[in-house]
Amino acid sequence: MKLAIMQPYFVPYIGYFQLIAAADVFIIYDNIKYTKKGWISRNRILVNSEPKTISLPIKNASDSLDVRDRELAASFEPYKFYNQIQEAYRHAPYFEKTSSLLKNIIFKDHSNLFDFIHHSVILICNHLDIKTTIIKSSEIDINHTLKNQDKVLALCKSIGAQTYINPIGGTELYSVQDFKEHSISLKFGKSKEFIYTQFNNSFIPWLSIIDVMMFNSIDDIQDCLTTKYELL
């Protein structure tokens, strides 16, 4: 059984979903600290031929709180947020199909940040017909005070994973030999560039999955999940 683990990211780039699709089980961290930097509550879309950041406003709270304990700010306006995306992509070839999905994501009555993101990941996986089982990290019975590789190994052993898949950026964080000593194969997933037409613009890579879905058919995206991803 192949396992992958990642932080919760809001409408992340296609590599996130390639990682999910490459695994049998995907663990999404909910009991980790929320960080302002990174992609937990923000991503990029194409606006007037340029990448533009879209962000979920987060209620002020202690920096020590986990993602599952953070809330969306009262200033979050779903209609305004959706309209920003609608204006950017209303003429995209797959706007109608993708906009229905986005409405189900954005207008879901979730004030909790993790619930909002978790719900969006589940809906996008369903939309792309990704069958991987998705589990919240806090639901797994391990010592959650463990850190880094020790925590990953504990999660692997808890659910009986034979293979752990990590994004290629983690090659310096994990030891193939350490995993081997626990009878676990360590693999690194690498995305290949997926180039597609974005209106009549020069191609801008690695935008949110929203951009991918607006310009590509489900069949083409499903093909990209496997043919544009390799395990090293």
Side-chain angles (χ1 to χ4, degrees):
M1 186 264 285
K2 299 186 293 293
L3 171 67
I5 308 170
M6 279 295 287
Q7 295 184 7
Y9 293 145
F10 179 57
V11 291
Y13 83 125
I14 193 167
Y16 192 94
F17 295 96
Q18 289 172 320
L19 178 66
I20 296 176
D24 300 304
V25 176
F26 179 77
I27 295 175
I28 184 169
Y29 280 126
D30 61 334
N31 54 350
I32 58 168
K33 289 183 180 180
Y34 170 77
T35 56
K36 295 178 181 178
K37 296 180 180 180
W39 301 100
I40 291 179
S41 59
R42 65 189 179 98
N43 222 289
R44 300 185 308 154
I45 62 171
L46 188 69
V47 177
N48 296 325
S49 305
E50 298 291 337
K52 179 178 176 61
T53 299
I54 54 173
S55 302
L56 297 172
I58 309 301
K59 184 178 179 179
N60 289 332
S62 170
D63 290 339
S64 65
L65 291 179
D66 288 344
V67 175
R68 61 181 176 174
D69 299 318
R70 300 303 299 259
E71 301 289 323
L72 297 178
S75 60
F76 178 53
E77 299 179 88
Y79 285 95
K80 184 177 181 179
F81 195 86
Y82 172 77
N83 286 339
Q84 180 183 15
I85 300 172
Q86 181 185 46
E87 286 303 311
Y89 291 105
R90 64 168 58 250
H91 298 300
Y94 296 95
F95 171 76
E96 292 299 329
K97 289 184 178 180
T98 307
S99 64
S100 297
L101 169 66
L102 291 176
K103 288 177 182 177
N104 289 332
I105 290 173
I106 296 169
F107 296 113
K108 181 67 175 179
D109 187 20
H110 281 312
S111 61
N112 179 271
L113 174 62
F114 177 80
D115 289 345
F116 190 95
I117 296 173
H118 179 258
H119 176 252
S120 69
V121 170
I122 296 294
L123 287 189
I124 294 169
C125 284
N126 290 342
H127 186 72
L128 300 178
D129 199 30
I130 297 173
K131 303 295 188 183
T132 304
T133 299
I134 298 178
I135 304 173
K136 300 175 187 178
S137 58
S138 63
E139 295 174 347
I140 302 173
D141 186 17
I142 65 164
N143 177 2
H144 286 280
T145 64
L146 292 171
K147 303 294 183 182
N148 306 321
Q149 180 174 280
D150 290 336
K151 187 168 189 175
V152 170
L153 284 168
L155 289 168
C156 286
K157 288 187 285 186
S158 180
I159 67 167
Q162 288 85 43
T163 301
Y164 174 63
I165 306 170
N166 195 82
I168 193 67
T171 52
E172 296 182 0
L173 301 177
Y174 302 106
S175 164
V176 172
Q177 183 59 38
D178 288 347
F179 276 79
K180 186 176 181 180
E181 290 175 1
H182 290 86
S183 301
I184 300 169
S185 174
L186 175 61
K187 299 291 184 180
F188 293 97
K190 181 179 181 181
S191 296
K192 301 175 185 178
E193 191 171 48
F194 177 39
I195 299 176
Y196 50 89
T197 301
Q198 295 167 322
F199 299 124
N200 293 316
N201 307 312
S202 298
F203 180 68
I204 299 175
W206 313 127
L207 298 179
S208 164
I209 191 68
I210 292 173
D211 191 82
V212 175
M213 295 188 296
M214 288 290 186
F215 292 111
N216 297 276
S217 69
I218 297 297
D219 286 344
D220 286 342
I221 298 172
Q222 289 174 336
D223 181 68
C224 174
L225 293 176
T226 54
T227 65
K228 296 293 184 179
Y229 196 71
E230 60 181 334
L231 297 180
L232 306 175

